[in-house]
């Protein structure tokens, strides 16, 4: 039975690595999977999912206007699709998460979505909000704060390493702009 999974975490927990490993498992067994990622995140190039440990795979891109249901119907028409992977799922819209539900329930294709739960101000992203509400399975991938406790929050930092306390919700970056922290250290710096 197909299900919608949401694998969420702070940054640097291995979300993309986990996605790439799972997609490889399908390929290794002769099954077809497709990967989608947000076009806004082009740190490793457009149409690519890459992990900090050096593995990568080509991916379709989505924007807020992309109709994922139609895209998957086209791909499914070409040949049987066994699984759909979504990287940077926090950038999905509410409507796109509804489309993922339809892909699971109507097309019977499992969907594994990977993304951040919250932004640098501890507010949920739209995609994450609806995945947390509608996914069949929620899986937290864990990473650690500099103190060794579980990191569930992300702090945006400026060029001098100071915490940023306001700004646009989306500013693409890696370790140069963000640091994962436990709630105690996050609140000390941001709140």
């Amino acid at each position: 039975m197909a299900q919608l999974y949401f694998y969420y975490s702070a940054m640097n927990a291995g979300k993309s690595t986990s996605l790439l490993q799972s997609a490889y498992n399908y390929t290794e067994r002769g099954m077809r999977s497709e990967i989608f990622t947000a076009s806004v995140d082009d740190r490793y190039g457009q149409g690519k999912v890459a992990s900090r440990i050096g593995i990568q795979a080509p991916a379709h891109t989505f924007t807020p206007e992309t109709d994922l249901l139609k895209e998957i119907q086209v791909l499914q028409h070409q040949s049987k699709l066994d699984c759909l992977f979504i990287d940077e799922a926090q950038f999905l819209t509410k409507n796109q998460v509804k489309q993922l539900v339809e892909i699971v329930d109507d097309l019977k294709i499992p969907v594994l979505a990977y993304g951040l739960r919250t932004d640098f101000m501890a507010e949920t992203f739209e995609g994450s909000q609806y995945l947390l509400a509608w996914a069949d399975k929620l899986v937290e991938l864990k990473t650690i704060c500099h103190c060794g406790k579980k990191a569930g929050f992300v702090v945006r930092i400026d060029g001098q390493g100071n915490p940023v306390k306001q700004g646009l919700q989306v500013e693409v970056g890696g370790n140069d702009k963000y640091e994962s922290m436990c709630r105690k250290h996050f609140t000390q710096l941001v709140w």
Side-chain angles (χ1 to χ4, degrees):
M1 180 172 150
Q3 293 188 322
L4 174 56
Y5 295 81
F6 182 37
Y7 295 86
Y8 66 92
S9 70
M11 291 184 69
N12 299 328
K15 292 179 298 299
S16 295
T17 303
S18 179
L19 180 152
L20 292 166
Q21 178 63 53
S22 294
Y24 178 79
N25 290 345
Y26 274 85
T27 302
E28 187 177 48
R29 287 164 181 77
M31 301 170 88
R32 180 173 174 232
S33 65
E34 293 289 341
I35 302 171
F36 279 73
T37 190
S39 64
V40 69
D41 187 357
D42 60 359
R43 290 175 290 162
Y44 303 104
Q46 208 45 266
K48 187 183 301 183
V49 172
S51 172
R52 292 175 293 116
I53 64 171
I55 57 176
Q56 62 184 20
H60 305 272
T61 59
F62 67 86
T63 67
E65 293 77 33
T66 303
D67 186 328
L68 292 170
L69 180 59
K70 284 186 180 176
E71 295 274 333
I72 297 309
Q73 287 171 327
V74 168
L75 291 170
Q76 177 80 337
H77 183 71
Q78 294 169 357
S79 68
K80 181 180 184 289
L81 185 57
D82 296 296
C83 191
L84 172 62
F85 293 91
I86 307 288
D87 196 37
E88 304 295 347
Q90 70 271 12
F91 297 129
L92 294 166
T93 65
K94 177 181 181 179
N95 193 49
Q96 287 171 324
V97 177
K98 282 183 180 178
Q99 293 166 9
L100 296 181
V101 168
E102 291 179 69
I103 291 165
V104 169
D105 292 346
D106 298 340
L107 301 181
K108 310 285 190 248
I109 300 170
V111 175
L112 285 68
Y114 295 75
L116 298 172
R117 180 180 64 167
T118 59
D119 65 14
F120 75 107
M121 294 298 298
E123 299 289 334
T124 53
F125 288 92
E126 182 177 353
S128 302
Q129 175 185 347
Y130 291 101
L131 284 164
L132 286 165
W134 299 338
D136 298 299
K137 303 278 185 180
L138 300 173
V139 180
E140 181 179 22
L141 301 175
K142 295 175 179 73
T143 190
I144 57 170
C145 179
H146 61 270
C147 71
K149 291 170 83 177
K150 181 185 87 153
F153 298 87
V154 178
V155 175
R156 184 182 290 168
I157 52 177
D158 65 18
Q160 291 73 44
N162 301 309
V164 176
K165 298 181 180 185
Q166 60 184 1
L168 297 174
Q169 184 179 45
V170 177
E171 186 173 320
V172 174
N175 293 343
D176 59 324
K177 290 188 180 180
Y178 295 96
E179 184 178 343
S180 295
M181 292 186 185
C182 66
R183 183 178 60 222
K184 178 181 177 181
H185 287 109
F186 173 83
T187 56
Q188 286 175 349
L189 288 176
V190 177
W191 289 356

